[in-house]
Amino acid sequence: MAISVNGTDIPVPDDPRVSLLDLLRERAHLTGTKVGCNQGACGACTVLLDGERVLSCLTLAVQADGRSVTTIEGLGDGAALHPMQQAFIDHDGFQCGYCTPGQICAAVAMLRELQGGVPSYVTADLAGQGTVTAEEIRERMSGNLCRCGAHNGIVEAILQVAKEQAA
Amino acid sequence: MSRVQNAVIGSVKTVLGWMPERWLPGGTPDPLIGRHGEVGRQASRLDGPQKVQGKARFAAEVAMEGMCYATLINSPITRGRIARLDTAAAEAAPGVVLVLTHRNMPRLEIVPVMSISNMGAVGNSALPILQDDQIRYNGQVIALVLAETQEQADHAATLVEIGYEQAPARTRFEEAKANARTPASILTEKNQVSVGDAPRELQQAPYSVDNLYRTPGHNHAAIELHAVTTAWDGDALTLHDATQAIAPTANALAKLFGVRREGVRVLSPFVGGGFGGKAFWDHQVVAIAAARIAARPVRLMLSREAVCRMIGGRTPTEQRVALAADAAGKFTAVVHTGFSVMPTYAVCPEQYSLGSRAAYRSKTYQFGQRHLDLDVVPNTYMRGPGESVGSFAMESAVDELAHQMGIDPIELRRRNEPETHPLSGTAFSQRGVLEAYRMGAERFGWDQRSAAPGTRREGEWLTGMGCATGSFPYVRMPAGAVRIHLTQGGQATVSCSAQDMGMGTSTVQSQHAADRLGLPLEAITFEMGDSDLPPAPMAGGSAQTVSIAAAIAAAADKLTGELLRMAGNASPVAGLRAGEVRLVGGELVSLEDPARRDSFHAILSRAGRETVTVTASASAPLEMLKFAMQSMSAIFCEARVSAVTGEVRVTRLLGSFDCGTILNPKTAASQFRGGMIMGLGMALTEETLFDERSGRIMNASLADYHIPAHLDVPDIEVIWTGIPDPRSPLGARGIGEVGITGVAAAIANAVFNATGKRVRDLPLTLDKLL
Ligand code: FES
Ligand code: FES
């Protein structure tokens, strides 16, 4: 009975009320995952569960039992920044930095969804290959709120990473 | 603010009027203006790597041995008293450490309310905190439950049994008008001002508009929730807080809890967005009291609902703007009056009429604000207080008048541009709003706008363009100190208790210090976010950057004096005074004869010193009294409105700013955009829904209070004049708040241009356009 967090096993908490978010922040002291609402409205708590983005505030820790969680702390490889992290710095995709870990985790998973052909509300050709456009990114990232207003920089950062991946 | 205060400020202004300009700080422009160095460079944020890796440590993220977790209970009624209170079940629940109510709360004084001239006055509310059984507004804190885990605390809070005795409450805006207060002052300005006979001009003028504009309450909605992690060690208190006011909070807490100031330490190196909302409220006090009684470290993070209900936001307003113009389009009357809610225990008068007083030349004027007293959470400052909502009213009215007269709205503004401050006649330090309009119009393609509304249509979408002026006054805070510690190796550490909520404080001040001290950026370390450092004023009024810059300049002068003194008689710079040298390339260099120079390293070595440390305070901000100073903008918007659903889509938004020197184009552009996006939210979606029957806020969540999401935000273009202000440190003026101003009006004006429908009630929701 354990949850693999960034490659390290963490025991499942005794108290079934503990959310994955609180497990990470309060028990594993991985405070890179943020909390803005605790009710699924802001996206600040986004982490990757078996590679897919989830809101950790709406995920009970017990639901992650036997699965693997990647948080912002586990995104880069050791010393080097993940390309998405670097792109956020290059394009000033944040100000206070509080929504940022959630935006970055969501962006990484979102590009995989898009490139994997999962359509969105703004996708014209539902059967087609996903095309990375600013419009697609805006639609798919709308669950991650940013009050500082770093939206333009975030979209540019994601476009840059998508371009690098395609190259 | 009082009549006395008006008199004092008036007399200071009069005295200063007699002084030659060069006596004033800022009278001789800052020598760094126009020098090419680190300032003005596109530096990435120095704290960027920490933030993108989740390593930036926020207030609720500090681990402490033996820490327990708190939950608050907020009043569900608006007015009355707690008639019955049973905490036994909660106290018996697993893991519960303490239930704190008015019964066992220590008796505390009222925290002095916020003031820019008193570094210990920081309160947002003049109400007692958990001192009695009285309920004064819906959402008021009535208990705190402390337990070993958050889950246990949250559960136990549901077990506290409370019975209320309700009393009649004042909750209705319209009804409160009968008892409106007319304050003598709005901040430091005289409230009611009347020049000439504005009502008569309004009646006689060939052109006039006279309308009411309404704006709802707004919520700061910073993504980080308000939070503290706090612990006592005997009489020493540590508070990790999410605050915009580090030093004032430490001062206030020492006084409130009756302990030595040196024993109180407030840390807040990162704040996850503030916008005016992260100052001193009830939660800090109850958490600290609980930590003291329980003798355990305490973490308290408010729920989103609690943030909405117990941290005040921007107050609702109803404003009247009337304008009259003669046949030549010259204003003959400018009237801006209105009502806003401000309980007697709140601090922020929502100064919506102040911007209008500095905006246009006119033959007559009439200004005045009245406050309504309701039983609500005390309202407070929120990004662009006053001007954000005031500019919506004034700049909509200008557009309405331009339409009535059949002239271009930019041209109408140009014809009424004042040469000096319209009311006081004071000279502007620098004012380039017309240049901002010229640049903006050209870049935006304003000439493509069709003057006749409702004439551009593609399919179901009607398209229009609008513009508006934004403005926010220049403020430099009167207090604040900085310490500079210079090593023989040429490394400098600059320290003060400044705050960063995302403005890039450490980045920009490091750039500044590098230029000021003549050192490379890598040689500078900027320390902040800790009340043990020399006190910086609170981050507010868009004032932090220039306030700290002035303190750094003062400390650099003092350091120069120290180095000259240490240099001794054998030095090539011997005999020179601080004003006669500049610091460049790690050396003191004579201004007159650049061959005379001596390096920091050589001076310190000769003096047998490893380091030198100086602390200095900024000069008094007298430039604010001598000159009329404000940041300004010209905002341009293109909006589409669906003729079928009434939905509004902002397709293009451009801000052209006139804010003095731009210190870091990369972070500045982000800050301008951030303000404009908050303006976009204000225009289209943001509204605190208040139930006038119950006195309760109905949309206390991020699901129901709608801030702009990615799909709402187009690419936003930001440009600036970059003309330095000769009267301010570095030639800079504030940029944190001006971005939000003017935006809602520009959008409403574009919507009018698209549809021919004038909406004077924010937000511009579809029901108002069908
Ligand atoms: S904290 Fe999970 S969505 Fe806001
Ligand atoms: S960077 Fe502050 S909320 Fe997004």
Side-chain angles (χ1 to χ4, degrees), chain A residues 21 34-46 55-58 143, chain B residues 223 225 702:
Chain A
L21 170 65
K34 304 303 181 192
V35 49
C37 70
N38 240 326
Q39 51 189 192
C42 75
C45 64
T46 306
L55 298 174
S56 62
C57 71
L58 294 188
Chain B
I223 301 298
L225 298 158
L702 288 178

